[in-house]
Amino acid sequence: MRLPLRRLSGTELLRAHRAAKTSLDSFSRVTRLHGSLIQSWVAGASVVALEHYPEGGVVDRRRGSQFFYHSHRGGDAEHGHLHLFWHATRSGRRRHLGPPKAPRQDDWKRSAPSHLIAIGLDARGLPVSIFSVNQWVTDGHWFNADTTLGMIRRFGLKGITSHADSCDWLTAFVRLYEPVIARVLRSRDRRIAAQRCPTAALNDRRIEVVSMARLDCLADLNRIDHELKRRGLALVP
């Protein structure tokens, strides 16, 4: 699924270019330092299926944002994927997690993180997909697409020095691909609503990945530059 650039206003297109530039610059830095995004999280370890990398995930306790990387699916372009979360109360308001500390799995469960989206990565660490998963996959509170998009717009990771570059990359990537994320989430809601019993469907183990969009990020970056030039807009330095 391509970014819908023709629908963006000039201001939105320039904002997309800023996000793309930040994402690309951060990706380049982390690749130069660690070899790839994935290596920045696994630190040379052999990737064990279903293990979370880095251990305990990466969490911004002030903003309530969190992610982890793991790998357990094969047979396509995906090496593994990131799960993104927003720590929220049942009403959808951000949960305050207290002072910074090393997150523990039991602490993470108590804070009831709600799943936002997942991002599939290839072996180079390049994003190849954005997808949604059913509630039983990650637990947490379940919110409709519009509420989840409100969380997506507030998602961000700052001040985490051990993973600063990958956090900058991910924050910018989410900003850039918000239109695609919106389509994935709305497709998720339509599929669940179409089930005989939508509430029961959230725990249906036959439904794991609910909706997905394939990505070609390098092509999208080129398309952003082309669209800016077509409109005669100045590139962001």
Side-chain angles (χ1 to χ4, degrees):
M1 182 181 292
R2 301 198 305 177
L3 281 170
L5 301 179
R6 293 293 181 98
R7 300 179 186 177
L8 301 182
S9 67
T11 299
E12 290 170 332
L13 185 60
L14 289 169
R15 189 180 303 124
H17 183 264
R18 282 194 296 271
K21 186 176 186 304
T22 298
S23 178
L24 183 60
D25 289 348
S26 301
F27 185 93
S28 298
R29 283 196 304 272
V30 77
T31 301
R32 187 167 59 250
L33 290 171
H34 301 280
S36 72
L37 272 173
I38 296 170
Q39 281 301 315
S40 76
W41 302 315
V42 306
S46 298
V47 177
V48 178
L50 296 175
E51 288 293 316
H52 295 182
Y53 299 94
E55 184 178 358
V58 176
V59 59
D60 183 327
R61 300 184 72 84
R62 187 168 71 85
R63 292 171 177 80
S65 303
Q66 183 168 2
F67 77 89
F68 66 78
Y69 177 81
H70 72 169
S71 178
H72 60 89
R73 301 189 304 175
D76 57 17
E78 181 187 293
H79 177 276
H81 49 268
L82 296 169
H83 284 288
L84 279 59
F85 299 88
W86 176 262
H87 288 254
T89 64
R90 190 174 297 277
S91 66
R93 301 181 68 178
R94 179 168 62 84
R95 182 184 175 101
H96 294 276
L97 301 180
K101 61 181 178 180
R104 304 185 308 274
Q105 189 67 14
D106 59 344
D107 175 71
W108 183 68
K109 286 182 178 177
R110 283 199 307 273
S111 64
S114 295
H115 192 261
L116 301 176
I117 55 160
I119 303 169
L121 305 179
D122 68 13
R124 300 168 294 174
L126 289 172
V128 294
S129 65
I130 292 172
F131 60 96
S132 68
V133 297
N134 208 352
Q135 186 178 21
W136 67 263
V137 178
T138 58
D139 292 324
H141 304 309
W142 181 268
F143 300 103
N144 64 24
D146 287 340
T147 301
T148 306
L149 282 169
M151 298 172 181
I152 286 286
R153 295 184 183 107
R154 290 176 284 170
F155 181 89
L157 299 127
K158 297 293 183 183
I160 304 168
T161 56
S162 56
H163 296 283
D165 290 325
S166 65
C167 287
D168 287 346
W169 166 79
L170 182 56
T171 301
F173 177 88
V174 170
R175 295 284 85 74
L176 175 61
Y177 276 94
E178 188 179 310
V180 175
I181 292 170
R183 292 186 184 184
V184 169
L185 291 173
R186 291 190 173 115
S187 177
R188 178 203 68 176
D189 283 8
R190 287 194 299 271
R191 182 179 177 190
I192 293 297
Q195 303 302 308
R196 179 176 298 177
C197 178
T199 301
L202 297 177
N203 291 306
D204 188 340
R205 299 284 170 145
R206 296 169 298 178
I207 305 174
E208 180 179 358
V209 174
V210 185
S211 58
M212 176 181 289
R214 301 288 183 182
L215 302 181
D216 186 339
C217 290
L218 297 180
D220 280 335
L221 294 177
N222 289 331
R223 289 177 57 243
I224 290 172
D225 285 346
H226 176 79
E227 184 65 14
L228 283 168
K229 292 174 183 176
R230 189 187 72 83
R231 299 193 197 184
L233 296 173
L235 294 175
V236 178

